[in-house]
Each structure stands twice: as C-alpha cells, then as structure tokens.
Amino acid sequence: MCELGARFGIERRTVSNILHRNGVPMRRRGLSPDQVDDAVHLYNLDWSLARVGEHLNVDHSTVLTKLRERSVLTRDTHGRPRS
C-alpha cells in the first residue's frame, strides 16, 4: 500500500480504502516476536515510534500497540514519560 501510495501520489489509507471497496483481499502484516523484541530494544534506546516503525517497515501505531502489549512505558512527543 505504501508503494502504491507513493507511485500514485496518494495516502496509504486512500489506497487501503480503494482496495477494500473493490474487494481486494488484504494480508495483515504485523511483527514477529523477534521483531517486537527489537522494537522494545530500539525504543528503549530513545528511538521514536516513527523511527522504529520505519526500521521495521510497519506503521508507528503497530509499534505502539506491541509496546503496550509488552507493558513498555511510552513517551509523549516531547520525550516525557506518559502517565
């Protein structure tokens, strides 16, 4: 979806909506347990969610979800711990 979005100059979500509307089966891409371990390690090295997601080729929200599942304390956009 990211490649199609870049190719046609549209958002990834727009690509997703078009594919869904046309009944194209979607494959879910997540993170393997080893990739989650890597994400936790990198995030603890003060990498941003966006940077970790880019490194693992997933959206930052996927990284955030997996960190929360592992009970990792997250930071706000200014690097302060969330309460």
Side-chain angles (χ1 to χ4, degrees), residues 38-69:
D38 194 25
V40 170
H41 175 72
L42 295 172
Y43 189 75
N44 285 332
L45 291 175
D46 287 333
W47 283 34
S48 68
L49 292 172
R51 186 175 175 199
V52 174
E54 187 175 302
H55 177 74
L56 296 172
N57 202 28
V58 295
D59 193 71
H60 72 278
S61 62
T62 302
V63 176
L64 179 60
T65 298
K66 294 301 179 182
L67 293 179
R68 287 180 174 162
E69 287 175 3

Side-chain angles (χ1 to χ4, degrees), residues 2-83:
C2 291
E3 277 184 45
L4 289 171
R7 181 175 178 186
F8 294 104
I10 58 177
E11 290 285 326
R12 178 197 59 80
R13 282 179 247 154
T14 304
V15 173
S16 177
N17 290 337
I18 292 168
L19 294 175
H20 282 292
R21 263 197 316 266
N22 289 286
V24 175
M26 306 299 275
R27 130 182 99 112
R28 292 202 47 94
R29 179 167 149 63
L31 295 174
S32 70
D34 287 341
Q35 288 175 310
V36 176
D37 291 342
D38 194 25
V40 170
H41 175 72
L42 295 172
Y43 189 75
N44 285 332
L45 291 175
D46 287 333
W47 283 34
S48 68
L49 292 172
R51 186 175 175 199
V52 174
E54 187 175 302
H55 177 74
L56 296 172
N57 202 28
V58 295
D59 193 71
H60 72 278
S61 62
T62 302
V63 176
L64 179 60
T65 298
K66 294 301 179 182
L67 293 179
R68 287 180 174 162
E69 287 175 3
R70 294 272 184 101
S71 301
V72 174
L73 297 177
T74 57
R75 303 178 299 270
D76 67 13
T77 55
H78 301 287
R80 297 179 298 232
R82 293 186 191 271
S83 51

